[in-house]
Amino acid sequence: MKKFAIAASVVLMAMPSVTRAAEYLNGIEWKPPAIITPGKTNAGAPSDAIILFNGTNLDGWKNGENWTVKDGIAYSGKGKITTLESFGDCQLHIEWKAPEPAKGSGQGRGNSGVFLMDRYEIQVLDSYENETYHDGQAGAIYKQTPPAVNAMRPPSEWNTYDIFWTAPRFDEEGKLVSPAYITAMHNGVLILNHFELKGDTPFNRPPAYNPHPPTGPISLQDHGNPVGFRNIWIRPFQAATGEQVRDPFLRNGAKETPIK
Ligand code: MG
């Protein structure tokens, strides 16, 4: 306990002029994710994808008018943008590029974020040669887990996120039935594998689940840094369905028996 108290007081002493709500600290000392160099990645949207941004406009987003679209790239502007459409389980592809030249440090360099259901953040940050707390670096589920590795490209290059999202389920009383899970690739590299979220991802309190509808919008964060985005597409996901219409084949050459 004493250790935690000391750590907290050091942080407070280091931030004497902080006026916002106190920062939530989860107390985990993460090992630094290994830094790796990703291979080439392919960006083509499959035929059944819903295109959320194709380089021309942000008409499908609330507050899109306060961001800038230039040369096929959407740059984060004033306030977050939020899709008009809502999604539950999904596959989301998004490409992003940190401002160049790199400016600022830690959480102040190339910070944005992809929020699933407008409340669960996978961090967007320039984590190329930029130290910050590991559960706040690019690919982290903010304040819950770092990415397994740091697959960040330098600011002059595009990054891709491929996110596989399982929405949390709540019952009619709003009780959590099953948590959210995320699998994610950063530049084609697996960084989160079926990670179970502990709840939402705020700055100033521990994660918590608060009941919400089964679908919600995707939002992209404005953190004061002009991060570029392109090629954003999504596929609502439903697992294959089928009906058992006959017995599974039996061994020893026995004939199948129709059920219906
Ligand atoms: Mg962020």
Side-chain angles (χ1 to χ4, degrees):
M1 263 338 259
K2 205 177 164 197
K3 227 178 172 182
F4 288 97
I6 290 168
S9 64
V10 166
V11 167
L12 288 174
M13 279 192 296
M15 303 166 67
S17 61
V18 168
T19 51
R20 60 191 169 182
E23 179 176 7
Y24 157 66
L25 300 170
N26 62 22
I28 302 170
E29 194 176 318
W30 298 105
K31 289 196 176 127
I35 296 168
I36 63 158
T37 305
K40 288 207 169 78
T41 44
N42 186 337
S47 61
D48 65 347
I50 298 167
I51 309 296
L52 296 175
F53 176 61
N54 68 0
T56 56
N57 62 62
L58 289 168
D59 289 356
W61 301 73
K62 265 184 233 161
N63 195 43
E65 66 278 11
N66 285 317
W67 284 34
T68 306
V69 177
K70 205 180 144 200
D71 301 329
I73 303 168
Y75 293 94
S76 55
K78 202 168 181 332
K80 68 176 178 180
I81 56 170
T82 307
T83 56
L84 301 179
E85 254 183 280
S86 282
F87 307 95
D89 298 350
C90 64
Q91 172 185 1
L92 174 66
H93 174 93
I94 187 159
E95 299 178 21
W96 58 277
K97 191 163 77 152
E100 190 193 10
K103 227 171 91 179
S105 63
Q107 293 289 303
R109 187 189 294 188
N111 195 333
S112 181
V114 178
F115 283 72
L116 284 305
M117 312 188 91
D118 203 24
R119 67 186 74 205
Y120 306 101
E121 181 183 17
I122 178 167
Q123 175 70 300
V124 166
L125 190 80
D126 181 0
S127 286
Y128 189 80
E129 298 177 349
N130 178 33
E131 283 289 310
T132 188
Y133 43 95
H134 297 304
D135 50 17
Q137 70 182 65
I141 297 302
Y142 189 68
K143 300 250 179 181
Q144 295 193 26
T145 183
V149 294
N150 180 346
M152 187 77 196
R153 297 192 207 274
S156 59
E157 296 176 26
W158 286 93
N159 288 274
T160 63
Y161 277 169
D162 287 285
I163 295 165
F164 309 95
W165 177 251
T166 303
R169 266 66 168 170
F170 300 92
D171 67 15
E172 280 171 13
E173 276 82 51
K175 209 176 131 240
L176 183 71
V177 175
S178 62
Y181 294 96
I182 188 167
T183 295
M185 294 197 298
H186 184 186
N187 297 326
V189 176
L190 186 65
I191 54 166
L192 299 165
N193 187 9
H194 200 59
F195 175 76
E196 179 183 323
L197 277 82
K198 298 172 179 74
D200 59 359
T201 54
F203 171 81
N204 58 358
R205 63 158 169 78
Y209 277 109
N210 293 298
H212 56 74
T215 64
I218 306 294
S219 53
L220 302 178
Q221 187 183 42
D222 162 30
H223 205 284
N225 309 142
V227 174
F229 292 92
R230 71 175 187 189
N231 289 340
I232 309 175
W233 53 260
I234 193 166
R235 298 179 62 252
F237 183 78
Q238 191 180 8
T241 55
E243 195 188 344
Q244 188 89 47
V245 294
R246 69 185 86 83
D247 284 336
F249 286 9
L250 303 171
R251 289 188 177 195
N252 304 323
K255 280 193 178 165
E256 61 172 303
T257 315
I259 291 175
K260 295 182 177 175

